[in-house]
Amino acid sequence: MTDCIFCKIIQGEIPSYKVYEDEKVLAFLDISQVTKGHTLVVPKKHVENIFEYDEALAADVFSKIPAISRAIRAHHPAVKGMNILNNNGSLAYQSVFHSHVHLIPRYEDESIDGFGLKWETHNEHYQPEDYQTIVETIKEKMEG
Ligand code: 5GP
Ligand code: ZN
């Protein structure tokens, strides 16, 4: 879809910090970093929300989430939990209308993630090299 920011990321027209990629799925760091390592998992096919998935697409996307979650957990010893969130429709706080699943690691010591889980934009605290360090550390922990 021409006007979709996530389609542009998938096509490489907008840069992103890629955690995982295969033929059907892309995972990349959320620019906002609600907590450090906050990642979005998206189907490469443009679908607006969960109501547009068929079973095959759901299998493609959701079957990748456990391994990506484990890599995010493994990237920092203080990550002890994970919130997985998927907003569908503006009423449900969806703001980018290309379906995506948020993986939000939770740190046992919130002074490490720095912010706690507040739905705020923290990108002003992150420089390109910070995103790069986070994404490299997560990628090192991907299985296989
Ligand atoms: P939603 O509110 O739709 O569930 O979440 C959309 C998410 O997309 C937000 O957390 C926002 O920070 C993220 N986002 C918006 N634009 C960009 C972008 O250009 N690059 C990246 N990496 N994330 C984005
Ligand atoms: Zn799209």
Side-chain angles (χ1 to χ4, degrees), residues 6 26-31 38-42 100-103:
F6 287 175
L26 179 66
F28 55 96
L29 295 182
D30 192 303
I31 204 73
H38 179 184
T39 295
L40 300 175
V41 184
V42 307
H100 52 278
V101 179
H102 295 262
L103 306 184

Side-chain angles (χ1 to χ4, degrees), residues 5-6 9 28-32 87 93-96 100 102:
I5 193 150
F6 287 175
I9 286 175
F28 55 96
L29 295 182
D30 192 303
I31 204 73
S32 298
N87 299 329
Y93 306 109
Q94 185 176 6
S95 63
V96 175
H100 52 278
H102 295 262

Side-chain angles (χ1 to χ4, degrees), residues 1 4 6-7 46 98:
M1 212 201 194
C4 170
F6 287 175
C7 281
H46 180 92
H98 180 129

Side-chain angles (χ1 to χ4, degrees), residues 37-138:
H38 179 184
T39 295
L40 300 175
V41 184
V42 307
K44 287 190 170 175
K45 179 182 178 187
H46 180 92
V47 291
E48 191 168 314
N49 55 41
I50 196 70
F51 306 114
E52 294 184 1
Y53 281 65
D54 60 19
E55 284 192 13
L57 187 63
D60 289 337
V61 174
F62 288 91
S63 65
K64 299 303 175 337
I65 286 176
I68 300 168
S69 298
R70 283 192 289 272
I72 296 169
R73 183 180 61 175
H75 101 284
H76 195 293
V79 176
K80 300 294 185 194
M82 178 83 58
N83 290 109
I84 298 179
L85 183 70
N86 169 229
N87 299 329
N88 296 281
S90 48
L91 184 73
Y93 306 109
Q94 185 176 6
S95 63
V96 175
F97 294 93
H98 180 129
S99 177
H100 52 278
V101 179
H102 295 262
L103 306 184
I104 304 172
R106 304 306 308 273
Y107 291 74
E108 63 181 348
D109 178 354
E110 293 211 325
S111 68
I112 296 169
D113 87 47
F115 310 109
L117 185 56
K118 299 193 195 84
W119 203 261
E120 291 172 357
T121 301
H122 299 303
N123 38 332
E124 72 275 13
H125 299 280
Y126 290 89
Q127 300 305 316
E129 56 269 28
D130 299 319
Y131 291 103
Q132 197 60 48
T133 302
I134 296 166
V135 82
E136 291 300 335
T137 315
I138 296 172

